[in-house]
C-alpha cells in the first residue's frame, strides 16, 4: 500500500516542524473578505484518532475553516499545523497527509468509478502498479465495489458523495477533512457514510467533520466545537457541553446541542 508518511518525511526539513502532542493544531486562524470577518481568529486542537465536529449554522464559517486548514485558501492570519507541519509554509508536503471531502463534488462524469479513483491516484503519485488494487480496496470500503464499472452520472447523490470520500482516501491520509458530507444524501448512503467514518476512526484516522445537523455531531464526534458568526462559542465533549445548559432549559425539552446553541446565541442552528 502507498505510504504517505515515508513520502512526507523524505521531503521535509526539520525546521518547519513544531513540538506538539495534537495531530492537528489550529492557531488564531482568521479570514476576512472585505469588511466581513468570516473567521475571527479561532484556536483548537484535534487529537490523533479523534472525530472532531465543527458544528454551526449555514454561514458560520465552517467551510472557510476547512479550506484554510487544508491549504486551499490562504488565511488572513494564523496557521494550521498537521503533525507539527505548517500548512502555510509546507502546503505541498501536508497534502500527502490529508484527505479532503469538499462540499462540491469533484468527479469526472465520463470516467467510471474505478477510473475516477485511478486518475486521482496518479495525481497523488501512487505507483502505477498499485493504483487499481488500492482503488478496488477503497471502493469496497465505501460500499461501491459492485458499481465500480459505472459512471457517476448513473449514481444517486449519496453514491456520488461516497465516491468522493473514496477519492479522498486513496492515498491513505492520516487526517480527513469532511465538509458537510451528508447534505442532500439519501438515508441509506448516510448510514454508509457514518459506518465508513466509524471504521476509519477505529483504524486511527483523525477526522474533522463539519455539519449543521446537531444529531450527527452528537452521534459521531468525541469532541465538538460550536461555531457561530466566525467564532467558536463552545468546545468540549458532548457531556461537557451539555453540562453548560442552564437547568431551566432542560425541563420542557430534551438536553441537546440545539438547546445549548439557543442558550448561547438566542437562535436555532437552522435559522
Ligand atoms: P459555512 O460553511 O459555515 O456555511 P462559510 O465558511 O461558507 O460558512 O461562509 C462564512 C461566511 O463567509 C459567510 O457569510 C459567507 O457568505 C462568507 N464567504 C464565504 N466565501 C466567501 C467569498 N469567497 N467571498 C466573500 N464572502 C465569502
Amino acid at each position: 500500500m502507498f505510504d504517505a508518511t515515508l513520502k512526507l518525511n523524505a521531503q521535509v526539513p526539520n525546521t518547519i516542524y513544531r513540538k506538539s502532542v495534537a495531530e492537528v493544531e489550529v492557531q488564531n486562524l482568521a479570514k476576512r473578505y472585505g469588511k466581513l470577518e468570516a473567521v475571527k481568529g479561532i484556536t483548537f486542537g484535534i487529537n490523533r484518532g479523534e472525530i472532531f465536529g465543527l458544528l454551526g449554522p449555514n454561514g458560520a464559517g465552517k467551510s472557510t475553516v476547512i479550506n484554510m486548514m487544508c491549504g486551499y485558501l490562504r488565511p488572513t492570519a494564523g496557521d494550521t499545523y498537521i503533525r507539527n507541519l505548517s500548512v502555510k509554509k509546507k502546503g505541498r508536503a501536508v497534502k500527502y497527509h490529508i484527505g479532503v471531502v469538499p462540499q462540491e463534488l469533484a468527479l469526472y462524469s465520463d470516467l467510471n468509478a474505478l477510473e475516477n479513483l485511478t486518475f486521482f491516484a496518479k495525481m497523488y503519485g501512487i505507483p502505477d502498479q498499485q493504483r487499481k488494487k488500492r482503488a478496488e480496496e477503497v471502493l469496497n470500503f465505501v460500499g461501491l465495489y459492485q458499481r465500480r464499472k459505472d459512471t457517476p452520472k448513473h449514481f444517486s447523490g449519496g453514491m456520488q458523495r461516497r465516491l468522493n470520500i473514496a477519492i479522498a482516501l486513496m492515498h491513505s491520509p492520516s487526517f480527513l477533512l469532511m465538509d458537510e458530507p451528508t447534505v442532500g444524501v439519501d438515508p441509506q448512503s448516510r448510514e454508509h457514510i457514518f459506518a465508513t467514518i466509524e471504521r476509519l476512526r477505529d483504524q486511527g484516522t483523525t477526522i474533522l467533520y463539519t455539519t449543521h445537523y446537531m444529531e450527527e455531531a452528537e452521534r459521531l464526534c468525541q469532541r465538538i466545537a460550536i461555531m457561530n458568526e466566525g467564532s467558536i462559542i463552545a468546545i468540549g465533549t458532548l457531556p461537557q457541553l451539555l453540562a453548560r445548559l442552564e437547568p431551566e432549559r432542560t425541563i420542557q425539552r430534551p438536553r441537546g446541542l440545539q438547546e445549548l446553541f439557543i442558550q448561547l446565541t438566542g437562535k436555532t442552528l437552522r435559522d
Side-chain angles (χ1 to χ4, degrees), residues 91-270:
R92 286 188 68 187
V94 164
K95 172 178 119 167
Y96 291 102
H97 258 324
I98 63 179
V100 185
V101 183
Q103 224 176 70
E104 299 295 320
L105 295 170
L107 301 168
Y108 289 95
S109 53
D110 294 333
L111 300 180
N112 70 31
L114 199 58
E115 290 163 344
N116 260 286
L117 290 185
T118 50
F119 174 82
F120 282 96
K122 194 173 176 184
M123 277 176 45
Y124 273 97
I126 297 175
D128 208 2
Q129 64 279 17
Q130 292 178 23
R131 281 178 209 153
K132 184 161 177 263
K133 182 168 171 286
R134 177 65 186 150
E136 287 176 348
E137 230 168 61
V138 173
L139 282 168
N140 210 15
F141 196 75
V142 299
L144 287 177
Y145 182 78
Q146 303 301 334
R147 304 292 304 267
R148 64 195 181 283
K149 298 278 172 64
D150 293 343
T151 52
K153 59 187 168 207
H154 297 115
F155 285 180
S156 70
M159 288 165 66
Q160 289 181 1
R161 198 156 285 275
R162 277 150 63 196
L163 186 55
N164 232 32
I165 294 173
I167 288 170
L169 295 177
M170 274 300 283
H171 60 298
S172 312
S174 62
F175 178 40
L176 187 65
L177 299 102
M178 308 185 88
D179 196 356
E180 307 232 18
T182 59
V183 167
V185 161
D186 56 283
Q188 195 200 353
S189 278
R190 191 166 170 262
E191 276 309 312
H192 256 291
I193 291 173
F194 287 166
T196 301
I197 291 171
E198 283 164 346
R199 263 185 291 141
L200 284 168
R201 177 205 51 209
D202 294 344
Q203 292 175 3
T205 306
T206 306
I207 297 168
L208 176 72
Y209 188 94
T210 78
T211 181
H212 62 274
Y213 299 123
M214 57 185 170
E215 323 80 60
E216 294 191 355
E218 286 173 348
R219 166 169 169 180
L220 287 174
C221 303
Q222 273 83 65
R223 284 189 311 131
I224 298 161
I226 303 180
M227 265 194 98
N228 187 43
E229 296 177 357
S231 300
I232 289 179
I233 55 170
I235 187 165
T237 61
L238 186 60
Q240 284 167 346
L241 291 172
L242 297 182
R244 293 185 55 179
L245 271 174
E246 291 158 3
E248 62 270 24
R249 290 200 167 267
T250 65
I251 294 166
Q252 288 170 2
R253 282 176 288 214
R255 293 164 73 83
L257 292 177
Q258 177 75 275
E259 206 54 32
L260 180 64
F261 191 79
I262 296 170
Q263 176 182 308
L264 295 171
T265 65
K267 55 187 186 185
T268 67
L269 267 165
R270 285 171 203 176

Side-chain angles (χ1 to χ4, degrees), residues 15 59 77 166:
T15 48

Side-chain angles (χ1 to χ4, degrees), residues 33 36 38 56-65 103 179-180:
Y33 292 112
L36 175 75
N58 285 329
K62 304 181 297 297
S63 294
T64 307
V65 170
Q103 224 176 70
D179 196 356
E180 307 232 18

